[in-house]
């Protein structure tokens, strides 16, 4: 429990105006995209790394728990102060792009920088930061690093961890550490940056991030394939990639998702199709784009694609992407409550995975529209139920549990993008052995012996 | 100290024939590429993961130290049993390619598989494993993972850590753990695979590795640029990459290296040149290759390239590569002892770095030929001295120490490819703060509380 003296001492560190414990602030910082609420006892806005260090040192000595927070847009409760204490909000002051180093093609940013702001800035100088989570317009790079965010471009360009070259961070005892370099190669000491990425704010507070940038490809084209069945589409996904295609994105919508978008927007979508695949191809010369498109066309048609369309211009490309971009909001026609999961399976398991989802849907009598990033095996699987009916909701969660089981059996992971947080913590034992969880706990202890950093997350307590 | 009972018990685990403590074996397993020698007390050849688990459990309880070993080709002593105990040799039985999964484009291998054997096998089916350390013909994937090996293709394709998707490993207490998945996206639990890569065998014994593969590009071309000075060449390196070029490799030789190769092989190399840059470009269509070559030509010529040559065929390409491939053996004309380092700096610091190397060379009166992977800032810096003259050798080591200092000041790393081992352990305090080293030790303790795994390495003791 934080007392008045703590508030006074925290104000001494960061200044009167940067510690808030009025009801309005405590409510504003009590939720994230999970819509679950946990009120903190205070919200603290550090001005810089030194502030973070002093706050952590003080809290560590006093046993006050800390939940670091970026934009609070996470889907698994990573930024929720489930054990009270303080929320350490990094988006207010620590939100600067410190450097775009064009010579070495890296950007150095503070954790509170918004993903899309960074993308825009680097693209102005011909560079490119590929990770593009759906939350890119509001989520922060610090949050992206902490949850190892993915996005649509992962099929070709990988995810956040593939772009983190170096970090500065503060350990729970207040120690400031640096990890990594502005170099592709670095084999000195343990890969601390590697373990901090995706650690959901439980090991250290990240205060500066050095990101790899690449050259912005000059050309992009969009293609779409319409398939009779989900199975054919899923075969087309992994066979085209294994056959040499290297699309930026390879997104899909199943029949339920197609019908939902059509019902809402009347775009003339093929409502009888089993699935649509949408793909972006990029490159620097027309011939490379044509080569890639020809591979897609070949493997799509070999696997039952009944219509293959290449967008002629940006408008047509936007039309093709419209269905995918509006899938998430459209499927709410199937139920007032959406339990959405981001499970990921090896690509060759996609046909089997979607067959199992269909079976589970029938077993529990719930609709489960699916869409998402099939190019990397990441399927957004949405169990739709009537939120006002507790029995329906219970059925929904039972279906989800079975979906997790199937995912693990197929060699997949509980989370491709959103992390574990509190939402998936109950399922950690399904995915990891006791010995593996023991190792996680020992690592947690090595960084945070007093368990003050984001406790109650990842099933480690 | 290992006693007779230990030998007997180890033989019970792995079989009589897989434990050796005769003098011939102890000598054979006492050295690596550093040429330093430390004799183990026994050499054990596990047949499988279960053996590894039982051996580690036994040794952990008995306090017997273990040094895991692949091919013993490391340059920093990672595989040397500096504290005695047993060498755990993984190259004899645990050397199988378990699976080349073409559908998901991954390979699953045991640690003892030779890098180049894997490359050859995957290329047979149109796939590609890019990491190509100079030791690729004999070094093992297990060693590559443990030292996070790089290579020539890192400029475009990255290094070992960029290809490790999942691992199986045995902890010092015998626990078998899995980390990672066959999926690009996975955000469940801490990134254990990430911290095991490059941990130099100090945290766990890796028993299985799942590697990402990519499609093999259809075309490759080679180009060479001759420059008046090293500085011009180094400017050309980082400016061409920042300008959009994406070469597979961007290798360089300085004047001393060029002259050494010419003296030894009489190939008609430009002995008056300050530096040569050699670059491979790959892709799937001619136009992409031409586009890349045109970028190289433009940026090379803008930065003082006096001759730009594109190889017309494989023979010409091999001729161009000849100088680079024979640089390492040729520079021995400058001294019987070569102290070779693999420091790496941000690319834009290459001109300054090589200016400093020149200054240090003059200061100590030693020749320091340089060549290597400038495309990723990794310069093989070779201090050549008369090995029979202790004063010369001392001067050489003083020069090396100053080179490390300069590297760190320029934002670089002690090691781009070879790791710390014992060779660079004395310099860890130059590169890391006490607090950072403390964190390394706490992580080591979390995995290996009894310090039985590869003790005496990385400056952690």
């Amino acid at each position: 429990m934080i007392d008045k003296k703590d508030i006074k001492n925290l104000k001494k560190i960061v200044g009167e105006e940067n510690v808030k414990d009025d009801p309005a602030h405590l409510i504003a910082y009590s939720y994230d995209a999970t819509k679950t609420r946990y009120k903190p006892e205070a919200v603290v806005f550090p001005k810089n790394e030194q502030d973070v260090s002093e706050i952590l040192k003080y809290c560590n000595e006093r046993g006050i728990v800390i939940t670091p927070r970026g934009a609070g847009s996470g889907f698994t409760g990573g930024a929720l102060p489930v054990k009270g204490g303080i929320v350490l909000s990094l988006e207010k002051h620590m939100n600067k792009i410190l450097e775009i180093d064009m010579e070495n093609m890296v950007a150095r940013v503070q954790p509170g920088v918004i993903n899309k702001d960074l993308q825009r800035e680097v693209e102005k100088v011909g560079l490119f930061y590929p990770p593009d989570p759906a939350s890119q317009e509001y989520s922060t790079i610090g949050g992206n690093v902490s949850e190892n965010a993915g996005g649509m471009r992962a099929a070709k360009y990988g995810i956040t961890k593939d772009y983190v070259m170096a970090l500065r961070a503060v350990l729970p005892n207040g120690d400031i550490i640096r990890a990594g370099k502005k170099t592709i190669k670095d084999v000195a000491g343990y890969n601390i940056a590697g373990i901090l990425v995706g650690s959901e704010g439980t090991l250290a507070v990240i205060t500066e991030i050095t990101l790899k940038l690449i050259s912005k490809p000059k050309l992009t084209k969009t293609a779409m394939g319409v398939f009779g069945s989900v199975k054919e589409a899923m075969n087309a996904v992994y066979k085209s990639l294994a056959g040499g295609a290297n699309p930026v994105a390879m997104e899909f919508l199943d029949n339920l998702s197609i019908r939902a978008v059509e019902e809402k927007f009347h775009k003339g979508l093929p409502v009888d199709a089993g699935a649509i695949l949408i793909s972006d191809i990029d490159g620097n010369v027309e011939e490379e784009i044509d080569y890639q498109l020809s591979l897609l066309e070949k493997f799509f048609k070999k696997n039952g694609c009944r219509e293959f369309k290449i967008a002629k211009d940006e408008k047509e490309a936007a039309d093709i992407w419209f269905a995918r971009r509006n899938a998430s909001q459209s499927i709410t026609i199937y139920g007032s409550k959406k339990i959405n999961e981001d499970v990921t399976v090896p690509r060759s398991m996609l046909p089997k995975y979607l067959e199992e989802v269909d079976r589970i849907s029938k077993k529990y009598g719930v609709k489960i529209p699916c869409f998402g990033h099939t190019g990397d095996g990441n399927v957004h699987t949405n169990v739709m139920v009537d939120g006002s009916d507790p029995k329906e909701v219970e059925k929904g969660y039972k279906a989800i549990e079975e979906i997790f089981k199937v995912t693990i059996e197929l060699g997949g992971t509980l989370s491709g993008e959103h992390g574990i947080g509190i939402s998936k913590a109950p399922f950690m034992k399904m995915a990891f052995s006791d010995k593996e969880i023991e190792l996680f706990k020992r690592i947690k202890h090595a960084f945070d012996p007093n368990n003050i950093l984001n406790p109650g997350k990842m099933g480690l307590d």
Side-chain angles (χ1 to χ4, degrees), chain A:
Chain A
M1 284 287 289
I2 294 180
D3 59 29
K4 279 188 183 163
K5 211 174 141 221
D6 293 322
I7 297 288
K8 215 175 125 188
N9 286 327
L10 289 166
K11 283 181 175 173
K12 266 191 212 154
I13 297 172
V14 292
E16 187 86 23
E17 68 284 12
N18 288 316
V19 178
K20 301 287 183 188
D21 60 351
D22 57 291
H25 272 92
L26 300 189
I27 288 169
Y29 286 83
S30 70
Y31 66 91
D32 69 356
T34 58
K35 294 173 190 162
T36 327
R37 283 171 181 268
Y38 291 90
K39 256 208 300 204
E41 296 165 72
V43 186
V44 182
F45 303 94
K47 303 182 300 298
N48 50 45
E49 184 179 77
Q50 193 53 43
D51 279 359
V52 174
S53 170
E54 287 177 41
I55 294 163
L56 264 61
K57 192 164 184 294
Y58 179 81
C59 290
N60 194 41
E61 280 160 11
R62 283 277 294 119
I64 297 169
V65 303
I66 295 172
T67 304
R69 180 186 176 97
S73 56
F75 275 121
T76 55
L80 295 178
V82 297
K83 307 269 183 188
I86 70 168
V87 160
L88 191 73
S89 170
L90 296 150
E91 104 275 41
K92 192 168 176 185
H93 302 300
M94 295 180 70
N95 56 6
K96 316 284 181 304
I97 296 176
L98 300 171
E99 183 190 16
I100 295 174
D101 173 351
M102 292 171 63
E103 294 184 337
N104 293 299
M105 302 170 78
V106 301
R108 211 156 46 79
V109 305
Q110 290 184 319
V113 168
I114 303 295
N115 174 303
K116 193 75 189 185
D117 289 345
L118 175 65
Q119 287 189 48
R120 284 190 195 100
E121 285 307 307
V122 304
E123 288 183 30
K124 279 182 195 166
V125 295
L127 294 170
F128 186 35
Y129 177 67
D132 61 339
S135 59
Q136 59 190 343
E137 291 286 359
Y138 41 90
S139 69
T140 64
I141 298 289
N144 292 175
V145 171
S146 296
E147 301 294 339
N148 194 7
M152 291 205 191
R153 300 173 185 146
K156 178 167 182 176
Y157 290 112
I159 57 177
T160 305
K161 87 169 155 64
D162 301 312
Y163 293 85
V164 174
M165 303 189 81
L167 295 173
R168 292 181 66 99
V170 179
L171 301 182
N173 65 5
D175 284 357
I176 296 168
I177 58 157
R178 307 147 307 155
K181 299 279 175 196
K182 269 189 187 180
T183 56
I184 295 168
K185 291 176 175 169
D186 178 19
V187 208
Y190 293 132
N191 181 9
I192 301 296
I195 198 145
L196 290 183
V197 176
S199 65
E200 307 198 25
T202 63
L203 300 180
V205 175
I206 294 167
T207 49
E208 189 183 301
I209 302 144
T210 300
L211 295 164
K212 183 172 83 170
L213 306 173
I214 60 175
S215 285
K216 173 98 181 131
K218 294 190 184 311
L219 308 166
T220 303
K221 274 200 178 172
T222 298
M224 182 181 76
V226 180
F227 293 80
S229 72
V230 165
K231 189 168 185 175
E232 287 168 333
M234 295 303 100
N235 281 329
V237 168
Y238 81 82
K239 288 183 178 173
S240 54
L241 272 89
N246 193 13
V248 178
M250 173 85 77
E251 297 287 313
F252 109 114
L253 282 88
D254 69 358
N255 175 268
L256 283 173
S257 304
I258 297 165
R259 275 163 42 205
V261 179
E262 185 58 24
E263 188 168 324
K264 217 160 171 185
F265 296 99
H266 312 289
K267 288 279 179 177
L269 294 172
V271 291
D272 60 330
I276 294 175
L277 290 181
I278 300 173
S279 207
D280 269 358
I281 293 290
D282 69 3
N284 293 307
V285 295
E286 287 286 354
E287 291 81 358
E288 170 66 18
I289 305 270
D290 292 343
Y291 169 75
Q292 288 286 337
L293 287 171
S294 73
L295 282 178
L296 285 191
E297 184 166 6
K298 179 175 112 183
F299 285 101
F300 278 24
K301 288 190 172 166
K302 257 192 187 175
N303 289 284
C305 173
R306 68 182 202 208
E307 189 195 339
F308 183 79
K309 185 180 173 176
I310 297 169
K312 281 191 207 69
D313 50 33
E314 275 185 33
K315 200 204 150 285
E316 275 196 27
D319 283 349
I320 288 176
W321 275 104
F322 184 89
R324 171 65 186 87
R325 297 209 188 278
N326 290 282
S328 183
Q329 56 152 309
S330 301
I331 56 171
T332 50
I333 63 166
Y334 298 120
S336 59
K337 185 175 171 70
K338 167 164 65 167
I339 314 171
N340 65 324
E341 296 301 340
D342 64 320
V343 297
T344 303
V345 295
R347 281 191 301 263
S348 72
M349 295 297 165
L350 284 166
K352 178 76 180 157
Y353 172 73
L354 285 156
E355 199 182 303
E356 289 287 303
V357 168
D358 188 49
R359 179 186 62 74
I360 292 165
S361 163
K362 283 169 185 154
K363 176 174 170 184
Y364 292 95
V366 289
K367 285 210 165 63
I368 313 182
C370 294
F371 56 84
H373 320 308
T374 35
D376 51 55
N378 182 201
V379 178
H380 290 288
T381 305
N382 308 279
V383 176
M384 308 303 299
V385 291
D386 175 357
S388 66
D389 179 349
K391 275 199 176 159
E392 273 274 296
V393 174
E394 201 194 320
K395 271 203 297 188
Y397 280 105
K398 278 198 176 147
I400 283 291
E401 191 168 339
E402 201 157 331
I403 285 167
F404 285 149
K405 222 173 275 174
V406 161
T407 302
I408 301 294
E409 279 166 15
L410 296 175
T413 173
L414 292 178
S415 173
E417 306 194 306
H418 302 161
I420 299 299
I422 52 171
S423 313
K424 300 194 179 193
F427 306 104
M428 282 292 275
K429 292 208 167 178
M430 201 187 269
F432 296 98
S433 71
D434 291 348
K435 289 167 181 179
E436 288 156 359
I437 291 174
E438 262 315 305
L439 176 63
F440 293 159
K441 288 181 183 175
R442 291 202 300 275
I443 290 170
K444 166 73 171 167
H445 189 79
F447 281 84
D448 183 17
N450 301 329
N451 197 23
I452 64 153
L453 255 187
N454 213 0
K457 306 294 167 70
M458 294 175 74
L460 299 181
D461 294 79

Coordinates of all heavy atoms in Angstrom, one line a residue, chain A residues 238-272:
Chain A
Y238 N 0.6 -22.0 -47.8 CA 1.9 -22.5 -47.5 C 2.6 -23.0 -48.7 O 3.9 -23.0 -48.8 CB 1.8 -23.5 -46.4 CG 1.4 -24.9 -46.7 CD1 2.3 -25.9 -47.2 CD2 0.1 -25.4 -46.5 CE1 2.0 -27.1 -47.5 CE2 -0.3 -26.7 -46.7 CZ 0.6 -27.6 -47.2 OH 0.3 -28.8 -47.5
K239 N 1.9 -23.5 -49.7 CA 2.5 -24.0 -50.9 C 3.1 -22.8 -51.8 O 4.2 -23.0 -52.4 CB 1.6 -24.8 -51.8 CG 1.3 -26.2 -51.1 CD 0.4 -27.1 -51.8 CE 0.3 -28.4 -51.0 NZ -0.7 -29.3 -51.6
S240 N 2.5 -21.7 -51.8 CA 3.1 -20.6 -52.6 C 4.4 -20.1 -51.9 O 5.4 -19.8 -52.5 CB 2.1 -19.4 -52.8 OG 1.5 -19.0 -51.6
L241 N 4.3 -20.0 -50.5 CA 5.6 -19.6 -49.9 C 6.7 -20.6 -50.0 O 7.8 -20.2 -50.3 CB 5.3 -19.2 -48.4 CG 4.9 -17.8 -48.2 CD1 3.4 -17.6 -48.3 CD2 5.4 -17.2 -46.9
A242 N 6.4 -21.8 -49.8 CA 7.4 -22.9 -50.0 C 7.9 -22.9 -51.4 O 9.0 -23.4 -51.7 CB 6.8 -24.2 -49.6
G243 N 7.0 -22.5 -52.4 CA 7.4 -22.5 -53.8 C 8.2 -21.2 -54.2 O 8.5 -21.1 -55.4
G244 N 8.5 -20.4 -53.3 CA 9.4 -19.3 -53.6 C 8.8 -17.9 -53.6 O 9.5 -16.9 -53.7
A245 N 7.5 -17.8 -53.4 CA 6.9 -16.5 -53.3 C 7.3 -15.9 -51.9 O 7.4 -16.5 -50.9 CB 5.4 -16.6 -53.4
N246 N 7.4 -14.6 -52.0 CA 7.9 -13.9 -50.8 C 7.0 -12.6 -50.6 O 7.5 -11.5 -50.7 CB 9.4 -13.5 -50.9 CG 10.0 -13.0 -49.6 OD1 9.4 -13.2 -48.5 ND2 11.1 -12.5 -49.6
P247 N 5.7 -12.8 -50.3 CA 4.8 -11.6 -50.2 C 5.1 -10.9 -48.9 O 5.4 -11.5 -47.9 CB 3.4 -12.3 -50.2 CG 3.7 -13.6 -49.6 CD 5.0 -14.1 -50.1
V248 N 4.8 -9.6 -49.0 CA 4.9 -8.8 -47.8 C 3.8 -9.3 -46.8 O 4.1 -9.5 -45.6 CB 4.6 -7.3 -48.1 CG1 4.6 -6.4 -46.8 CG2 5.6 -6.7 -49.1
A249 N 2.6 -9.5 -47.3 CA 1.5 -9.9 -46.5 C 0.8 -11.0 -47.2 O 0.7 -11.0 -48.5 CB 0.6 -8.7 -46.2
M250 N 0.2 -11.9 -46.5 CA -0.7 -12.9 -47.1 C -1.8 -13.1 -46.1 O -1.8 -13.9 -45.2 CB 0.1 -14.2 -47.3 CG -0.7 -15.4 -47.8 SD -0.9 -15.5 -49.5 CE 0.7 -16.1 -50.1
E251 N -2.9 -12.3 -46.3 CA -4.0 -12.2 -45.4 C -5.2 -13.0 -45.9 O -5.3 -13.2 -47.1 CB -4.4 -10.7 -45.2 CG -3.3 -9.9 -44.6 CD -3.0 -10.1 -43.2 OE1 -4.0 -10.2 -42.4 OE2 -1.9 -10.2 -42.8
F252 N -6.0 -13.4 -44.9 CA -7.2 -14.2 -45.4 C -8.4 -13.8 -44.6 O -8.4 -13.2 -43.5 CB -6.9 -15.7 -45.2 CG -7.6 -16.4 -44.1 CD1 -8.5 -17.4 -44.5 CD2 -7.3 -16.2 -42.8 CE1 -9.2 -18.1 -43.5 CE2 -8.0 -16.9 -41.8 CZ -8.9 -17.8 -42.1
L253 N -9.5 -14.1 -45.3 CA -10.9 -13.9 -44.6 C -11.6 -15.2 -44.9 O -11.6 -15.7 -46.1 CB -11.7 -12.8 -45.2 CG -11.4 -11.4 -44.9 CD1 -10.3 -10.8 -45.8 CD2 -12.6 -10.5 -44.9
D254 N -12.3 -15.8 -43.9 CA -13.1 -17.0 -44.2 C -14.5 -16.5 -44.6 O -14.8 -15.3 -44.7 CB -13.1 -17.9 -42.9 CG -13.9 -17.3 -41.8 OD1 -14.3 -16.1 -41.8 OD2 -13.9 -18.0 -40.7
N255 N -15.3 -17.5 -44.9 CA -16.7 -17.2 -45.4 C -17.5 -16.3 -44.4 O -18.1 -15.4 -44.9 CB -17.4 -18.5 -45.7 CG -18.8 -18.3 -46.1 OD1 -19.7 -18.2 -45.3 ND2 -19.0 -18.0 -47.4
L256 N -17.4 -16.6 -43.1 CA -18.2 -15.8 -42.2 C -17.7 -14.4 -42.2 O -18.5 -13.5 -42.1 CB -18.0 -16.4 -40.8 CG -18.8 -17.7 -40.4 CD1 -18.4 -18.2 -39.0 CD2 -20.3 -17.4 -40.4
S257 N -16.4 -14.2 -42.3 CA -15.9 -12.8 -42.3 C -16.3 -12.1 -43.6 O -16.7 -10.9 -43.5 CB -14.4 -12.8 -42.2 OG -14.0 -13.5 -41.0
I258 N -16.2 -12.8 -44.7 CA -16.6 -12.2 -46.0 C -18.1 -11.7 -45.9 O -18.4 -10.6 -46.3 CB -16.4 -13.2 -47.2 CG1 -14.9 -13.6 -47.3 CG2 -17.0 -12.6 -48.5 CD1 -14.7 -14.8 -48.2
R259 N -18.9 -12.6 -45.4 CA -20.3 -12.3 -45.4 C -20.6 -11.2 -44.4 O -21.5 -10.4 -44.7 CB -21.1 -13.6 -45.0 CG -21.4 -14.5 -46.2 CD -21.9 -15.9 -45.9 NE -22.8 -16.0 -44.8 CZ -22.9 -17.1 -44.0 NH1 -22.2 -18.1 -44.3 NH2 -23.8 -17.1 -43.0
A260 N -19.9 -11.1 -43.4 CA -20.1 -10.0 -42.4 C -19.8 -8.7 -43.0 O -20.5 -7.7 -42.9 CB -19.3 -10.3 -41.1
V261 N -18.7 -8.6 -43.7 CA -18.3 -7.3 -44.4 C -19.3 -7.0 -45.4 O -19.7 -5.8 -45.5 CB -16.9 -7.4 -45.0 CG1 -16.5 -6.1 -45.7 CG2 -15.8 -7.8 -43.9
E262 N -19.7 -8.0 -46.2 CA -20.7 -7.7 -47.3 C -22.0 -7.2 -46.7 O -22.6 -6.2 -47.2 CB -20.9 -9.0 -48.1 CG -21.8 -8.8 -49.3 CD -21.3 -7.7 -50.3 OE1 -20.1 -7.4 -50.3 OE2 -22.1 -7.2 -51.0
E263 N -22.5 -7.8 -45.6 CA -23.7 -7.4 -45.0 C -23.7 -6.0 -44.5 O -24.6 -5.2 -44.6 CB -24.1 -8.4 -43.8 CG -25.5 -8.2 -43.3 CD -25.9 -9.3 -42.3 OE1 -25.5 -10.4 -42.5 OE2 -26.6 -8.9 -41.3
K264 N -22.5 -5.6 -44.0 CA -22.4 -4.3 -43.5 C -22.1 -3.2 -44.5 O -22.6 -2.1 -44.4 CB -21.2 -4.3 -42.4 CG -21.5 -3.4 -41.2 CD -20.7 -3.7 -40.0 CE -21.0 -2.6 -39.0 NZ -20.1 -2.8 -37.8
F265 N -21.4 -3.6 -45.6 CA -20.9 -2.5 -46.5 C -21.3 -2.7 -47.9 O -21.0 -1.8 -48.8 CB -19.3 -2.4 -46.4 CG -18.8 -2.0 -45.1 CD1 -18.3 -2.9 -44.2 CD2 -18.8 -0.6 -44.7 CE1 -17.9 -2.5 -42.9 CE2 -18.3 -0.2 -43.5 CZ -17.8 -1.2 -42.6
H266 N -21.9 -3.8 -48.3 CA -22.4 -4.0 -49.7 C -21.4 -3.7 -50.7 O -21.6 -2.8 -51.5 CB -23.7 -3.2 -49.9 CG -24.7 -3.4 -48.8 ND1 -25.4 -4.6 -48.6 CD2 -25.1 -2.6 -47.8 CE1 -26.2 -4.5 -47.5 NE2 -26.0 -3.2 -47.0
K267 N -20.3 -4.4 -50.7 CA -19.2 -4.1 -51.7 C -19.2 -5.1 -52.8 O -18.3 -5.1 -53.7 CB -17.9 -4.2 -50.9 CG -17.6 -3.0 -50.0 CD -17.1 -1.8 -50.8 CE -16.9 -0.6 -49.9 NZ -16.3 0.5 -50.6
G268 N -20.1 -6.0 -52.9 CA -20.1 -7.0 -54.0 C -19.1 -8.1 -53.7 O -18.5 -8.6 -54.7
L269 N -18.8 -8.4 -52.5 CA -17.9 -9.5 -52.2 C -18.5 -10.8 -52.5 O -19.7 -11.0 -52.5 CB -17.5 -9.4 -50.7 CG -16.7 -8.2 -50.3 CD1 -16.6 -8.2 -48.7 CD2 -15.3 -8.2 -50.9
P270 N -17.6 -11.8 -52.8 CA -18.1 -13.2 -53.2 C -18.6 -13.9 -52.0 O -17.8 -14.7 -51.4 CB -16.9 -13.8 -53.8 CG -15.7 -13.1 -53.2 CD -16.2 -11.8 -52.9
V271 N -19.9 -13.7 -51.6 CA -20.4 -14.3 -50.4 C -20.4 -15.8 -50.4 O -20.6 -16.5 -49.3 CB -21.7 -13.7 -50.0 CG1 -21.6 -12.3 -49.6 CG2 -22.7 -13.9 -51.1
D272 N -20.3 -16.4 -51.6 CA -20.3 -17.9 -51.6 C -18.9 -18.5 -51.5 O -18.7 -19.7 -51.5 CB -21.0 -18.3 -52.9 CG -20.2 -17.8 -54.1 OD1 -19.6 -16.7 -54.0 OD2 -20.2 -18.5 -55.2

